Amino acid sequence: MKMHFCIPVSQQRPDTLGGRYVLYSVYLDGFLFCKVRYSQLHRWNEQLRRVFGNCLPPFPPKYYLAMTTSMAEERRDQLERYLQNVTADPNMLRSDVFIEFLKLVQLNTFDVATEKAALDILLPNGRSIKVEILTSDTAERILEVVSQRLGLRQELLGYFGLFLIRFHKEGKLSVVKKLVDFELPYVCLRNAEVENCKVGLRKWYMDPALDSMLMDCRAAVDLLYMQAIQDIEEEWAKPTPAQRQELEALQKENNQTKFLELSRGVQHYGCMQLDPLTCDYPEPGCRALLSVGNHEITCCITLPDNRIQDVTFQMSRVKCWQVTFLGTLLDMDGPQRTLNQNLELRFQYSEESRWQWFVIYTKQVSSQGRA
């Protein structure tokens, strides 16, 4: 799993002794994840080092004198790179030291106490199931609880995930982001940046061929069938008129197996479609719809003269990705809110034996699944 941590802003705060300390706002996949002090991260690093030794990336050194502006910026950048490197190690991601610290800072940032709560989980057919949880339960733990309720086999959990689903005024939905295993879904919903959102269950792979791995589990087939119908209704998957007619007939018969077989041939089936965005291809400022899945990135681009151009990038030709936080942040002592949040996502691809960059500007960056 890939995720993107960044620290786009830090704030000076007064401490109880009359001095000042720096509070770092840590963002995960474009949304505020937690606020932490250097001292907290330093103690966490020491705990991790006792478990993993020299496998850890370098941690920014302590300063015993007042930091200059350039030193403060350098530390912010070093902490950001430390988080990115630590979370790239799957062994650390699964460790208790790693998870317990990140649970605590999420709870503290959003002032949530650990207690029992009820959480509605949205299914792809629009229904919700209510599960009893602790506010400190991770997405991984809640997914286990939901799977038990639905009868989804334990070994198939890796094919599914919990997502933030946003409801728009016009009745449309958008998949905002996948919740990383160590995120706390109850706490995420307390974040002012995720207004009109619910936690939803969806499959977490974008290769239609992987459907075959789930077809002998009744609960998994039910979820795939619900999601296929939803994706077509939301126009994320785009059947031809002939395919639509046949799919509607199979839906009336509730023939889930045949419906899914036919769906796998539908354009953008199983893909993740981002909300409308802008890109720099073939020129800056073009509006676009982008779908990711089935080993490719497909862009439907509206040119300045309103002509439509479809472009497809094969994943095998993509060399690397970069994500940059472009949001404007309020720097204040009270609750922080992102204004005009935007992310720059760029990838380098090979075209006619030359490496080129394709840049998009979006509010969505989701940890990548099996594309």
Side-chain angles (χ1 to χ4, degrees), residues 151-301:
L152 185 64
R153 296 207 306 264
Q154 178 75 22
E155 66 268 23
L156 300 180
L157 283 187
Y159 293 94
F160 294 88
L162 297 181
F163 294 77
L164 282 181
I165 311 293
R166 174 168 283 140
F167 291 79
H168 298 278
K169 291 180 180 178
E170 60 275 18
K172 287 287 188 178
L173 305 178
S174 63
V175 180
V176 178
K177 61 166 287 185
K178 180 183 183 293
L179 295 174
V180 179
D181 286 349
F182 55 76
E183 284 188 270
L184 310 183
Y186 182 90
V187 175
C188 287
L189 293 177
R190 299 287 295 270
N191 188 343
E193 296 169 2
V194 294
E195 292 176 342
N196 303 316
C197 284
K198 289 187 176 182
V199 176
L201 175 67
R202 291 176 62 82
K203 70 178 183 182
W204 181 229
Y205 58 89
M206 291 173 277
D207 181 353
L210 292 176
D211 280 5
S212 61
M213 306 294 292
L214 287 76
M215 298 306 291
D216 62 348
C217 175
R218 180 74 265 160
V221 172
D222 287 343
L223 289 169
L224 294 182
Y225 180 63
M226 292 178 204
Q227 185 167 329
I229 292 173
Q230 182 187 56
D231 286 1
I232 292 170
E233 290 176 346
E234 293 292 329
E235 299 181 346
W236 299 336
K238 305 180 187 299
T240 64
Q243 287 174 325
R244 186 180 295 275
Q245 185 175 8
E246 189 172 352
L247 286 167
E248 288 174 350
L250 292 171
Q251 188 177 349
K252 288 179 181 177
E253 298 170 5
N254 197 32
N255 191 332
Q256 296 181 336
T257 302
K258 290 291 186 182
F259 186 97
L260 289 170
E261 287 177 3
L262 180 58
S263 294
R264 286 193 279 275
V266 170
Q267 184 184 27
H268 301 326
Y269 169 77
C271 293
M272 177 176 177
Q273 180 169 300
L274 302 187
D275 290 342
L277 47 83
T278 59
C279 68
D280 72 345
Y281 184 94
E283 55 186 281
C286 291
R287 290 174 289 126
L289 289 175
L290 185 145
S291 294
V292 182
N294 201 15
H295 309 292
E296 63 185 24
I297 304 168
T298 304
C299 301
C300 180
I301 300 171

Side-chain angles (χ1 to χ4, degrees), residues 117-149:
L119 183 67
D120 288 326
I121 304 296
L122 184 70
L123 300 179
N125 63 359
R127 295 190 301 108
S128 294
I129 61 171
K130 191 181 294 291
V131 292
E132 299 298 321
I133 64 163
L134 293 176
T135 55
S136 57
D137 279 342
T138 62
E140 181 178 39
R141 170 57 185 156
I142 294 175
L143 179 61
E144 292 174 353
V145 173
V146 173
S147 69
Q148 291 172 3
R149 283 279 300 274

Side-chain angles (χ1 to χ4, degrees), residues 35 40 50 80 130-131 137 145 197 239 282 297 310 345 362:
K35 296 182 181 183
Q40 292 175 282
R50 284 194 286 271
E80 182 175 278
K130 191 181 294 291
V131 292
D137 279 342
V145 173
C197 284
I297 304 168
D310 291 318
L345 171 63
T362 177

